[in-house]
Amino acid sequence: MTARLADIAAQAGVSEATVSRVLNGRPGVAAATRESVLAALDVLGYERPVRLRQRSAGLVGLITPELENPIFPALAQVIGQALTRQGYTPVLATQTPGGSTEDELTEMLVDRGVAGIIFVSGLHADTSADMQRYDQLRGQGVPFVLVDGYAPQVRAPFISPDDRAAMGLAVTHLVSLGHTRIGLALGPKRFVPVLRKIEGFQQAMRDRLGLSPAESEELIQHSLYTLEGGQAAATALIERGCTAVVCASDMMALGAIRAARQKGLAVPQDVSVVGFDDSPLIAFTDPPLTTIRKPVQSMGQAAVRALLEEIGGTPAPPSEFVFLPELVVRGSTASAHGVEARGRRAAGGAA
């Protein structure tokens, strides 16, 4: 118990005596301090004493495309914690292949009387999807926020990473290492984040290497957002002589590393690989992955803040809130010195 008190006190920035007073419901503690202690309990995973638990302010739905990519559970955790601190109960609804669709999950959540819904990488990111579904949801009086993807015709808050800037960071890093043949592996072209990454990549290739969009087009390979998709895309790019591959997800980047090794090439000595997301545990891969860190913490908290404003009847004007990513350099990128000859060898080498 003493160790637990010390942990909570350190997290909340107060004394152990103050923590004890809060937990035992004693007077003489400022409201803000009491909230800090309760928030520390939530962050550290301790249950609040029954008498201190708030009655739920309502359910909030969180719809994600899947949970195999570790970036989605990471985002769900941030959003879930932020909702819990505000007294709401998060309800996670996940799409799975052959399972419920986004529309079916939305209907299920609305039937259960949720106070609002947060959509992550949903149909709002698909330029071929019908956006009227979101107008209908708003017509039902259900507040919602959309993460990762942008549709200007939908009147709602959007939360996005700056995909164009992310590609600029990746290309600039690789060019500084001497790479001139840089490939981009990413998902299907109909998705907004994919289109933005292409724009950022082509702009950076023009600014850093003088390549026209037509010249950089052959360095772009579309595939699936999976390890196998990354492997297939990277194999094609390496065969085109690329000495570095930028991937649109960390899962794809792990596939790119596998593709290089299957061709008898080493990462990063022969081929440099950059991921995207900075998913949990990605720093511990072999080699540790250089990646673009998605600002998950700030994006998740902003999504909750925007939704609570919608629920509270004081919504901000419908707009997109864009968060800057960060380059995290680890062990999967290295100098291109002497790589060109090995790249030519790989292009004709055994798969």
Side-chain angles (χ1 to χ4, degrees), residues 103-275:
D103 290 338
E104 290 167 344
L105 293 174
T106 301
E107 185 180 354
M108 178 269 290
L109 290 169
V110 172
D111 287 346
R112 279 159 179 73
V114 293
I117 301 175
I118 297 174
F119 295 87
V120 176
S121 296
L123 291 169
H124 63 279
D126 187 340
T127 57
S128 68
D130 183 357
M131 296 297 153
Q132 283 191 342
R133 54 175 46 87
Y134 300 110
D135 293 334
Q136 291 167 2
L137 185 60
R138 183 164 296 287
Q140 292 174 282
V142 180
F144 60 92
V145 172
L146 303 151
V147 181
D148 263 350
Y150 181 62
Q153 66 270 44
V154 177
R155 291 181 55 77
F158 288 85
I159 309 292
S160 306
D162 192 332
D163 289 298
R164 298 182 185 94
M167 294 301 99
L169 290 171
V171 170
T172 298
H173 170 61
L174 292 168
V175 170
S176 74
L177 293 172
H179 293 277
T180 57
R181 192 81 176 159
I182 301 167
L184 175 62
L186 72 183
K189 198 170 185 176
R190 68 180 188 275
F191 295 110
V192 172
V194 171
L195 294 171
R196 289 177 168 181
K197 285 184 176 74
I198 291 172
E199 287 175 24
F201 177 76
Q202 292 187 319
Q203 182 68 50
M205 294 293 276
R206 180 166 55 232
D207 292 346
R208 302 295 173 188
L209 296 171
L211 269 64
S212 68
E215 289 171 319
S216 57
E217 186 70 35
E218 67 163 318
L219 303 174
I220 298 170
Q221 185 67 37
H222 295 278
S223 189
L224 300 176
Y225 278 113
T226 60
L227 191 145
E228 293 78 14
Q231 182 177 351
T235 297
L237 292 168
I238 291 169
E239 286 173 354
R240 290 176 210 161
C242 290
T243 62
V245 179
V246 179
C247 299
S249 77
D250 291 336
M251 294 292 283
M252 292 187 82
L254 296 181
I257 292 173
R258 182 194 280 181
R261 287 175 176 163
Q262 283 198 338
K263 286 190 160 293
L265 300 172
V267 175
Q269 293 86 347
D270 299 326
V271 179
S272 286
V273 175
V274 178

Side-chain angles (χ1 to χ4, degrees), residues 67 81 134 210 258 302 321 351:
L67 293 177
Q81 286 177 341
Y134 300 110
R258 182 194 280 181
F321 302 91

